[in-house]
Amino acid sequence: MLLALAALVSMAPQTVSLIPKETIWVYENASSPSDGTFLRAWGVEGKPCPAEGEELAAYSYSFVKWDLSDLPAGAKLVSATIELNNIPDPGFSVASSKKAPIEARALTSDFDAKKWTFDLATKIRPDGTKAGLLGSGYAKVITTGSPVAISINLTAKDSPFLKAFAAAQTSASHSLSLALTSSLDPSVDGRTSVYKVYGQNEAKENLRPKLVLTFEKE
């Protein structure tokens, strides 16, 4: 009996939560883009991010990087989510958030927060294609005065995340970088109708963005 219980415990899924090690708010008028206080996202005319060569000024999105070097070795990833908390009383509704969710997208290149300048945004961009979409999530409940929880499922059917995750784990840097984007458009729905989620330097730990990974032990 005890041996059977020990076997079940050893086979039980293991969940790990990671706080980003670097973030950047990518916006032309961002005064302190890498300070890690808030991550923002909005789009233009139904698009979450600009195509190559398109004007960047009206768009806003954020880059996020996680360190994967301390993850359990030899474990199979079975689920992954990004857990975010938007500031209270947002300018969007549940319906508008569902219509224009916040997205996790692959990047065309890696980024370094210490070396970031907005000039690099033409080279380091979110992948706006269908193949670049790793997952999305929206606000399901909005309560007056309370932060708004949003969960992005990265392992939904047909998501390319598992492939991207495996590549990141075996890379020289052992880091995973992606973009948070959205087609939510403040020029249509109002100035405050944007995603503004707490960053990794938020004082309240429970509000910080997290990459939540669940592994199946082999």
Side-chain angles (χ1 to χ4, degrees):
M1 181 68 174
L2 291 176
L3 288 175
L5 286 174
L8 286 172
V9 170
S10 66
M11 294 172 62
Q14 179 179 358
T15 298
V16 178
S17 295
L18 303 177
I19 304 296
K21 68 173 184 178
E22 293 181 47
T23 60
I24 295 174
W25 174 30
V26 183
Y27 182 53
E28 186 175 33
N29 297 320
S31 57
S32 51
S34 59
D35 66 0
T37 54
F38 294 103
L39 308 176
R40 300 163 173 87
W42 66 79
V44 178
E45 297 179 347
K47 295 185 294 184
C49 52
E52 186 174 3
E54 185 180 353
E55 176 60 45
L56 305 178
Y59 290 91
S60 170
Y61 38 85
S62 296
F63 295 162
V64 190
K65 181 183 292 187
W66 283 277
D67 181 4
L68 308 181
S69 58
D70 292 331
L71 293 180
K76 179 184 177 182
L77 181 67
V78 293
S79 70
T81 61
I82 298 175
E83 305 299 331
L84 303 171
N85 287 280
N86 201 89
I87 64 169
D89 308 318
F92 56 80
S93 63
V94 169
S96 59
S97 179
K98 185 175 182 179
K99 183 179 179 181
I102 190 165
E103 305 168 338
R105 289 188 171 273
L107 285 174
T108 58
S109 180
D110 200 3
F111 71 93
D112 184 337
K114 294 179 181 178
K115 298 179 180 179
W116 177 259
T117 65
F118 188 71
D119 292 341
L120 294 171
T122 58
K123 299 177 181 178
I124 307 174
R125 301 178 294 105
D127 183 343
T129 68
K130 183 179 179 180
L133 181 61
L134 305 177
S136 64
Y138 62 92
K140 296 183 178 180
V141 177
I142 297 177
T143 303
T144 301
S146 298
V148 182
I150 301 175
S151 180
I152 299 176
N153 182 6
L154 297 171
T155 49
K157 184 179 179 181
D158 299 327
S159 171
F161 176 76
L162 289 177
K163 184 177 180 180
F165 178 81
Q169 261 197 308
T170 56
S171 68
S173 64
H174 303 293
S175 62
L176 173 69
S177 298
L178 51 79
L180 298 176
T181 67
S182 179
S183 60
L184 201 63
D185 189 345
S187 69
V188 174
D189 299 319
R191 183 176 59 84
T192 61
S193 187
V194 302
Y195 288 106
K196 184 179 180 181
V197 302
Y198 295 99
Q200 77 273 22
N201 289 332
E202 162 59 32
K204 296 180 179 179
E205 186 175 352
N206 65 307
L207 296 179
R208 297 170 188 167
K210 298 179 183 67
L211 177 64
V212 181
L213 306 167
T214 300
F215 296 91
E216 181 182 275
K217 289 188 178 180
E218 295 182 351

